[in-house]
């Protein structure tokens, strides 16, 4: 529910109530004491429509159904509508509260991109791996809120996988913390940012410490995944909000077998301090990769290593 808009949730609730009203109106017509045949009862479309509206008003608590005397079925239907009418205001209030407190300020890039380690945005790390075929994973996201200031952002990553137990052959869940590049471009347990600008993209760089020639990759930071199942990469963010004084957290799972990774370097944004952040070049390709080079290099592969400078 937290992933849907308030309008979508309210429309879903209204649609459910409308459907329930039609069902109750049909059951009400079926069980009423009347000398008319069933065909005659349901052929009166205007009466059925009016009865459905009456039931809908009863289900939202603004009207009541008047059951026929000595009709158990009508008593049950009227009770159902009355109980529903008492619960609907609480449900609608819950929807509003969920949207108020389910803060998800970050928007994630659809896939994690894998390129050569020297493509990382750290000059020292890039020079260190200029002649290396090792790969690096880039996870991108940005803060979408204009009226919410976020500070002290921290990002961590870990690997989740399943392997057969050597004792009974059952699947056992393992988790392994992964090193990410810190602000200096050095492997560390977490990456932190003091301030989180509105709309500015952020990248979590996760060294693979092994070449990646194709997907799915089978080795990361010394762990051989060739015998593992259900491999997923988790990137978790935690931050504090200014003014509210609360902590917000978000996370993104990347499934190794579900196409959540792609080979190539992501399309960067072009910051322009003279323009609003949402008008920077590159937003339309936020989920895209840098196009292939003129020499015909495969866009799905990481670019070839460049000489050290």
């Amino acid at each position: 529910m937290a992933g849907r808009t308030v309008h979508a949730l309210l429309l879903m609730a209204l649609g459910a109530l409308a459907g329930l009203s039609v069902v109750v109106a049909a059951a009400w017509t079926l069980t009423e004491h009347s000398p008319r045949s069933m065909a005659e009862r349901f052929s009166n479309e205007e009466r059925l429509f009016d009865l459905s509206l009456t039931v809908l008003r009863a289900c939202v608590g603004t009207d009541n159904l008047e059951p026929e005397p000595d009709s158990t079925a009508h008593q049950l239907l009227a009770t159902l509508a009355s109980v529903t009418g008492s619960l609907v205001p609480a449900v609608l209030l819950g929807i509003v509260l969920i949207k108020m407190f389910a803060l998800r300020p970050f928007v994630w890039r659809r896939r994690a991109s894998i390129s050569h380690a020297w493509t990382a945005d750290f000059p020292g790390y890039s020079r260190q791996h200029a002649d290396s075929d090792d790969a690096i994973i880039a996870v991108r996201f940005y803060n979408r809120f204009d009226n919410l200031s976020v500070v002290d952002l921290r990002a961590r990553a870990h690997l989740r996988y399943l392997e057969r137990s050597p004792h009974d052959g059952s699947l056992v869940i393992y988790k392994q913390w992964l090193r990410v590049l810190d602000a200096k471009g050095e492997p560390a347990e977490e990456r932190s940012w003091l301030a989180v600008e509105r709309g500015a993209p952020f990248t979590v760089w996760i060294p693979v410490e092994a070449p990646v020639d194709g997907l799915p990759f089978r080795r990361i930071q010394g762990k051989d995944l060739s015998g593992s199942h259900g491999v997923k990469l988790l990137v978790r963010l935690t931050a504090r909000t200014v003014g509210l004084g609360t902590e917000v957290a978000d996370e993104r799972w990347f499934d190794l077998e579900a196409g959540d990774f792609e080979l190539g370097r992501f399309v960067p944004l072009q910051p322009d301090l003279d323009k609003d952040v949402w008008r920077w070049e590159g937003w339309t390709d936020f989920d895209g990769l840098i196009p292939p080079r003129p020499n015909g290099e495969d866009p799905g592969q990481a670019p070839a290593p460049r000489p050290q400078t």
Side-chain angles (χ1 to χ4, degrees):
M1 290 181 63
R4 299 180 181 273
T5 63
V6 174
H7 296 88
L9 292 174
L10 292 178
L11 287 176
M12 290 171 57
L14 181 60
L17 288 174
L20 177 62
S21 301
V22 172
V23 172
V24 172
W28 190 280
T29 303
L30 283 171
T31 56
E32 66 182 355
H33 299 301
S34 174
R36 298 180 303 161
S37 65
M38 289 296 174
E40 291 176 341
R41 298 181 193 181
F42 285 96
S43 62
N44 191 344
E45 298 178 356
E46 183 176 356
R47 180 180 179 279
L48 286 174
F49 181 72
D50 292 341
L51 180 58
S52 298
L53 292 179
T54 302
V55 176
L56 180 60
R57 292 194 297 271
C59 288
V60 296
T62 60
D63 204 345
N64 293 309
L65 291 176
E66 297 181 1
E68 294 180 347
D70 302 325
S71 176
T72 303
H74 279 199
Q75 291 288 348
L76 291 175
L77 293 174
T79 301
L80 174 63
S82 179
V83 172
T84 303
S86 64
L87 295 178
V88 165
V91 172
L92 296 180
L93 179 61
I95 290 175
V96 175
L97 292 178
I98 286 175
K99 298 309 297 182
M100 285 178 60
F101 293 102
L103 293 177
R104 300 201 65 178
F106 303 110
V107 177
W108 299 80
R109 190 175 181 274
R110 189 164 50 95
R111 291 190 179 100
S113 63
I114 303 177
S115 57
H116 278 102
W118 58 260
T119 63
D121 292 332
F122 299 96
Y125 186 87
S126 180
R127 287 192 298 268
Q128 183 181 352
H129 292 81
D131 298 323
S132 171
D133 289 332
D134 287 354
I136 194 166
I137 300 173
V139 176
R140 301 267 282 174
F141 61 93
Y142 64 89
N143 173 24
R144 65 178 174 181
F145 281 101
D146 292 338
N147 57 349
L148 181 65
S149 298
V150 180
V151 297
D152 294 339
L153 175 64
R154 299 178 183 275
R156 287 193 171 193
H158 85 253
L159 198 66
R160 196 287 310 269
Y161 56 92
L162 288 77
E163 290 185 352
R164 295 287 178 183
S165 170
H167 304 291
D168 55 12
S170 62
L171 285 175
V172 180
I173 299 177
Y174 294 93
K175 296 181 176 67
Q176 174 181 326
W177 287 104
L178 297 177
R179 295 181 296 277
V180 301
L181 297 187
D182 61 13
K184 298 180 180 179
E186 299 177 356
E189 292 186 354
E190 68 178 14
R191 173 73 160 96
S192 61
W193 293 269
L194 179 63
V196 184
E197 294 86 352
R198 175 180 70 99
F202 293 82
T203 306
V204 180
W205 297 96
I206 307 170
V208 178
E209 298 179 357
V212 176
D213 299 324
L215 294 176
F217 59 88
R218 291 304 179 189
R219 192 172 188 84
I220 180 171
Q221 295 189 11
K223 172 58 185 174
D224 185 2
L225 301 172
S226 56
S228 303
H229 308 275
V231 181
K232 290 187 179 182
L233 170 68
L234 169 66
V235 177
R236 177 172 293 150
L237 307 175
T238 57
R240 292 189 302 107
T241 58
V242 176
L244 296 178
T246 59
E247 181 178 88
V248 293
D250 200 359
E251 62 183 27
R252 178 76 160 84
W253 288 90
F254 296 91
D255 193 332
L256 187 62
E257 304 291 342
D260 290 340
F261 294 87
E262 58 187 355
L263 293 177
R265 197 181 194 280
F266 55 82
V267 175
L269 265 65
Q270 303 298 329
D272 188 345
L273 298 182
D274 295 329
K275 296 181 180 179
D276 185 78
V277 63
W278 303 121
R279 297 177 59 193
W280 290 358
E281 295 182 11
W283 279 118
T284 56
D285 295 321
F286 185 72
D287 285 319
L289 295 174
I290 293 179
R293 296 182 178 182
N295 59 6
E297 186 175 287
D298 185 356
Q301 299 292 330
R306 57 185 176 182
Q308 184 172 0
T309 56

